[in-house]
Amino acid sequence: MALTQQDIDVEIVRQRTAYEQSVAEGAPRSDHPPRDYPPYRSSVLRHPRRPLVAVAAQRDPEAVELAAPAFGETDVTELDNDLTRQHHGEPIGERITVTGRVLDRAGRPVRGQLVELWQANAAGRYAHQRDQHPAPLDPHFTGVGRTLTDDEGGYRFTTIKPGAYPWRNHTNAWRPAHIHFSLFGSAFTQRLVTQMYFPNDPLFPYDPILQSVTDERARQRLVATYDHTLSTPEWSLGYRWDIVLDGPAATWMEEGR
């Protein structure tokens, strides 16, 4: 029998209650979800049951890049961070600016960090052959960008607000609008991947991926803040989202620690 949203809701509440009870009994808070979070069905299937095997990068140098896509074979250009100017025509959707700072655990800026993003278009579809969601593709929007952080750790992207899209975790499952972020250190092996969400999305309570971050404070750190001072008149709405790489205020990363 196919799982329903109600089934998933019950499991989410069960997991959150168990976490909150463990914290109340003295267990440390956890910013990162278990690798086998039951409501997120494919995490259970992917959860390793045997000790992990280290991959020797010198034998398979491409293996370190398999966690997520990488974009661009040349130096970062001034157009790479504006996803609305990468094609000959205007993309469809709500234009937004996303900016923030990349910080370490002490609040110090992380300079020269390569930041990449990828996302669905305004209809909730990725420009990828594996995405067969019956929503229109936008010929003027590919949904990928990159930039380098400045001396204050700042980054900035202009893009289109992505749409929600269905996925097959359970019947009538929908993902909230989100943007995937990737951050690099001095090598590909130092890659961190996370997701940014938009405030007040009604799909938050129903999404087992977001809800797998059972700690409320850690979950809220994944949600951007609308900042009217960042909005450009007659051009774009502004969102601010800082990324903290480690420490008590760290942003959740999909690859764990």
Side-chain angles (χ1 to χ4, degrees):
M1 181 181 296
L3 288 167
T4 66
Q5 184 67 57
Q6 185 177 8
D7 297 326
I8 296 299
D9 292 345
V10 170
E11 292 186 5
I12 288 173
V13 171
R14 184 183 300 127
Q15 293 292 317
R16 183 183 306 134
T17 300
Y19 169 75
E20 291 172 349
Q21 182 177 346
S22 69
V23 171
E25 293 173 351
R29 290 188 172 275
S30 176
D31 292 345
H32 297 279
R35 302 265 180 171
D36 55 346
Y37 183 73
Y40 181 10
R41 282 298 187 263
S42 59
S43 74
V44 178
L45 297 175
R46 294 197 304 263
H47 179 61
R49 293 183 172 85
R50 298 181 181 179
L52 299 181
V53 177
V55 176
Q58 63 270 22
R59 286 185 295 175
D60 188 5
E62 294 184 357
V64 298
E65 302 178 26
L66 296 179
F71 309 109
E73 299 178 353
T74 61
D75 292 342
V76 177
T77 72
E78 62 179 11
L79 291 180
D80 285 351
N81 70 336
D82 189 341
L83 284 68
T84 69
R85 298 172 59 197
Q86 296 174 349
H87 299 276
H88 293 298
E90 289 282 345
I92 297 172
E94 177 185 325
R95 190 182 290 107
I96 61 173
T97 297
V98 179
T99 187
R101 300 176 71 202
V102 180
L103 306 168
D104 66 14
R105 66 183 300 142
R108 296 172 297 201
V110 181
R111 304 175 179 88
Q113 179 92 34
L114 176 61
V115 181
E116 296 179 332
L117 65 75
W118 64 99
Q119 62 170 91
N121 65 19
R125 185 167 178 181
Y126 290 94
H128 192 282
Q129 62 182 1
R130 293 186 62 185
D131 187 350
Q132 298 301 310
H133 171 209
L137 288 169
D138 187 340
H140 303 303
F141 188 77
T142 306
V144 300
R146 58 185 184 150
T147 192
L148 296 173
T149 56
D150 60 23
D151 287 344
E152 297 301 318
Y155 72 88
R156 186 181 186 91
F157 288 99
T158 300
T159 184
I160 297 296
K161 186 175 181 181
Y165 59 81
W167 62 308
R168 298 180 179 178
N169 187 74
H170 56 276
T171 301
N172 203 23
W174 290 82
R175 295 244 43 224
H178 61 279
I179 297 177
H180 299 266
F181 274 77
S182 163
L183 299 100
F184 287 97
S186 59
F188 279 100
T189 52
Q190 297 173 349
R191 190 177 205 182
L192 296 173
V193 178
T194 187
Q195 298 180 22
M196 185 204 85
Y197 297 85
F198 294 86
N200 304 314
D201 194 312
L203 292 174
F204 283 167
Y206 307 107
D207 181 41
I209 295 181
L210 179 60
Q211 294 300 323
S212 69
V213 184
T214 49
D215 187 88
E216 174 67 19
R217 289 181 292 185
R219 193 163 59 248
Q220 288 302 316
R221 291 197 289 271
L222 295 175
V223 182
T225 301
Y226 173 72
D227 188 336
H228 199 66
T229 64
L230 296 175
S231 296
T232 304
E234 301 183 35
W235 181 253
S236 68
L237 295 179
Y239 292 88
R240 183 178 300 279
W241 191 57
D242 292 341
I243 303 170
V244 181
L245 296 183
D246 59 3
T251 304
W252 168 67
M253 301 291 173
E254 294 178 15
E255 300 307 304
R257 300 281 172 181

